[in-house]
Each structure stands twice: as structure tokens, then as C-alpha cells.
Amino acid sequence: MPSQGTVLVTGGAGFIGSHTCVALLDAGWAVVVLDNLSNSSAVAVERVEELSPGDLTFHRVDLRDRAAVGAVVDERPIDAVIHFAGLKAVGESVVDPLRYYSNNVVATVTLLEVLREREIRDVVFSSSCTVYGDPANVPVAESAPLSAASPYGRSKLFIEEIFRDLAAAEPGWRVLLLRYFNPVGAHQSGRIGEDPHDVPNNLMPFVMQVAVGRRDRLTVFGGDYPTPDGTCIRDYIHVEDVAAGHVAALDALDRIEGCQAVNLGTGTGSSVLEVVQAASKAVGADIPFVIGARRPGDVVATWADPSLAEELLGWKANRTLDDMCADHWRWQSTNPDGYR
Ligand SMILES: NC(=O)c1ccc[n+]([C@@H]2O[C@H](COP(=O)([O-])OP(=O)(O)OC[C@H]3O[C@@H](n4cnc5c(N)ncnc54)[C@H](O)[C@@H]3O)[C@@H](O)[C@H]2O)c1
């Protein structure tokens, strides 16, 4: 397949990054991965190469190391950048905000300065539905008011603002801010998947670690919310759909000007108990759980209005919650300790 061009993927060894690298290689892109492996493993990159042999190079580099980032970018012509690298644990960001502002915001500014010096201005950035705070209306459209409840969320919001300011100040930048809802699941092969280094913050990896025997039971944070079954509702989206969204976003950069935010979600919400039920079906056994206290800061119910993604990127999620659970379980059961 003729090369589409070369894309620099920061954070390409991580959960969403590794799946996106497979999708990019499958679509004929050459891929340059830059990752410091602070929350990932080089094995993930090896498995990406196994799943989709192609033109991939890997550099273990911290994004805040300007000279090292410059050296990677100078090694070969880069056509576009997908910027995943960042820390993402909400609780940890409350305890150590400076680490988050340094690793997420300062690192992004460093990357953008390096890119600007070389006139590389096509960027796709990993934003999050967390920038909508506690939305007044669902489904949430891109025009909804922005706010954030944690240093992690604010780091995403600040970075979005930086991109908007930059695109307004300097012609030529073409930036898609992809606001992911809740990526879960794993590659259908079961070879790559989410491998949190610490106790998982998110529901699905926790549920799957219970299923595989690494944890005793799940604690559901709150069973008395004003939802049909009393538990919080989120828009879970298969990571392979998210990966496909990035390939579509790169193709769409030619059609946009300046900076544009786009939701990546399915448009459907599922409650915690619905996820536990779907996961139990995929695993073939009940997932033990208890209902605990509400977790401070949790939003009651949110799901995406994904119509702009379809209009602008020609992309739409098509995998179901059952697909997400089946694929996540295939990964977890065949790799009970992740990449270790
Ligand atoms: N997973 C989600 O639920 C979710 C939701 C919304 C947004 N996001 C965002 O998407 C991006 C990817 O998320 P993920 O789930 O794949 O997380 P991840 O932790 O698996 O991947 C992030 C990658 O970035 C790398 N990294 C972190 N700081 C770095 C630095 N300073 N220099 C170089 N590499 C660095 C890590 O080693 C890791 O491989 C993140 O920016 C995250 O905030 C994730």
C-alpha cells in the first residue's frame, strides 16, 4: 500500500495510542512513536508491529526533553502529529497537580514549539469529555459550556485553549481536538489492551481485574443517583472505534481550518450495573460487587452527541457494549498480568 505520509504519535505505546498505531499502519501510514513508557510497556509496541507489520519506529523520549523531541522530529519528514502523551489519573492529579500541569501542559507547549520551528501544523489532540464538567443537558454537543472539576480536567481544558489561541494567532494550524467519552475494550486479537500500572481508575479495567482474580470485588460508587438503576451513566466506546476515529481525523485535517473540537462517543449511555451485567455475560461468571458511597466529583450521567464526528470526519462508532466486554475479556484473560 502506498504510504499516506508519516505521523508522529506521542504516547503511542499507551492504551489508545497502541490501538491507533495498528489502525494507522493498516491504513498505510508510516508511524513514529514517541513515549517515555511512564504508563506503558515496550512490549505493546512490539505487539503493534506483530499485528500490523509496517513502517514503525519507536523512540523512548520524554516530551518535556526539547532537544530529544527535536531530534526525533528531524530524523525524517513528519506530515502530522497525534498527541496522546499525558497522565490521566484524576485522583492523582488532585494530590499532585504540578506533576499534571508539567507533564500535560508544559510538555504540550514544548511539543508545539518544536513543531512550529519546523512548520508542522497538522495536529490531532486527545481531549476528553471531562472538559464538559457536569453537563446540564445530554447528549452533550461540542457547543456545551466547558468547565473542569480536577487538575487533570483543567490540564485538558488549558491545552484546548492553547490550541485555540495558537490557531487564532497563526494561520496554517489545522487542529482537531478529539473529546473522547469512555474508551474501553481491546484489540479483537487480544494481543494489545489496557494495562494500568496502578489500581485502575476506570470501571471496565477494574471489572476485568476482578473477573481474572486480581481483585476480590468491585465497589460501585453510589447506588442512589437519579438514574433508572441508581448508578452513574457513561458513554462507553470501543477503543478500536476510537482508533478508527483518529485515522478519519487525519484524513479530515485537509478539510478544516484552524481548531475544531469533535466528540468521539457512541451516543448511548450505559449504567455501571449494565456494564457489570454485560461483563458477566462476556466472562461467563458473575462479577462480585458491592454498592459503596458516592465518589466525590463523579458526574451523574453523560453521553455524547456524536453527529459532528459523522459530518466532519465521516466516522461513527459501530461496536456494541457486548463487543467491548468480549474483546476486553479476551485481552485480560490471555494476559492476566498485562504486558508483565
Ligand atoms: N483512556 C481514557 O479513558 C481517556 C479518556 C479521555 C482522554 N484520554 C486521553 O487520551 C490520551 C491517551 O490515553 P490512554 O488511555 O491511552 O493513556 P495511557 O496512559 O495508556 O497512554 C498515555 C501514554 O503517554 C505516555 N506519556 C505520558 N507522559 C509522557 C511524557 N511526558 N513524555 C512521553 N510520553 C508520555 C505514557 O507512557 C503512555 O504510554 C491521554 O492524553 C488521556 O488523557 C483518555
Side-chain angles (χ1 to χ4, degrees), residues 3-333:
S3 177
Q4 298 266 31
T6 301
V7 57
L8 173 70
V9 183
T10 78
F15 170 46
I16 306 172
S18 55
H19 290 79
T20 301
C21 286
V22 171
L24 289 167
L25 291 162
D26 285 348
W29 285 87
V31 174
V32 176
V33 172
L34 185 158
D35 199 302
N36 66 0
L37 303 184
S38 59
N39 194 41
S40 52
S41 162
V43 177
V45 181
E46 287 165 21
R47 295 207 183 163
V48 166
E49 290 178 297
E50 164 199 309
L51 288 171
S52 189
D55 186 349
L56 180 144
T57 48
F58 170 57
H59 301 269
R60 185 173 186 172
V61 161
D62 190 294
L63 209 50
R64 287 162 296 179
D65 182 343
R66 179 189 303 264
V69 175
V72 170
V73 174
D74 287 338
E75 214 174 88
R76 62 192 287 179
I78 300 288
D79 298 292
V81 178
I82 303 181
H83 177 30
F84 291 107
L87 299 172
K88 61 169 183 176
V90 172
E92 188 185 65
S93 79
V94 174
V95 176
D96 192 354
L98 276 187
R99 181 157 176 248
Y100 274 69
Y101 292 131
S102 169
N103 195 82
N104 293 3
V105 182
V106 174
T108 300
V109 173
T110 305
L111 172 68
L112 292 178
E113 286 173 346
V114 168
L115 297 182
R116 182 172 61 175
E117 276 165 22
R118 287 146 181 94
E119 299 185 3
I120 301 166
R121 299 196 193 91
D122 281 355
V123 185
V124 175
F125 171 64
S126 300
S127 189
S128 165
C129 66
T130 192
V131 301
Y132 296 120
D134 197 349
N137 298 302
V138 281
V140 192
E142 289 80 357
S143 54
L146 303 180
S147 71
S150 70
Y152 165 70
R154 275 186 284 281
S155 77
K156 291 290 173 196
L157 205 45
F158 294 161
I159 295 169
E160 282 206 1
E161 298 292 7
I162 290 168
F163 275 114
R164 279 188 278 272
D165 286 344
L166 187 59
E170 297 176 11
W173 287 92
R174 299 188 295 190
V175 179
L176 281 165
L177 309 170
L178 300 184
R179 295 179 179 155
Y180 316 148
F181 277 67
N182 294 75
V184 296
H187 192 267
Q188 215 193 345
S189 65
R191 294 295 288 157
I192 55 173
E194 186 166 12
D195 180 24
H197 281 189
D198 299 314
V199 180
N201 278 286
N202 298 335
L203 176 64
M204 186 73 90
F206 202 105
V207 164
M208 291 299 172
Q209 288 192 3
V210 171
V212 84
R214 274 171 69 179
R215 305 192 184 274
D216 291 341
R217 61 185 183 184
L218 168 76
T219 299
V220 176
F221 297 124
D224 57 353
Y225 283 103
T227 60
D229 66 19
T231 63
C232 291
I233 296 177
R234 297 286 178 273
D235 185 341
Y236 296 95
I237 176 169
H238 197 295
V239 65
E240 286 202 72
D241 280 332
V242 175
H246 288 76
V247 178
L250 283 185
D251 292 340
L253 284 172
D254 276 344
R255 303 192 292 272
I256 67 152
E257 258 177 50
C259 184
Q260 173 79 54
V262 180
N263 287 338
L264 291 191
T266 64
T268 305
S270 305
S271 73
V272 175
L273 294 185
E274 284 169 341
V275 171
V276 171
Q277 203 176 26
S280 299
K281 193 166 94 185
V283 166
D286 285 343
I287 311 279
F289 69 89
V290 289
I291 306 280
R294 291 182 179 193
R295 187 169 59 174
D298 268 345
V299 166
V300 180
T302 181
W303 60 91
D305 173 350
S307 50
L308 184 63
E310 190 166 0
E311 196 183 302
L312 211 64
L313 314 183
W315 166 94
K316 158 167 161 200
N318 56 35
R319 291 165 176 88
T320 64
L321 184 60
D322 285 342
D323 297 332
M324 300 175 212
C325 291
D327 291 341
H328 207 125
W329 177 237
R330 192 173 303 108
W331 151 253
Q332 188 72 78
S333 55

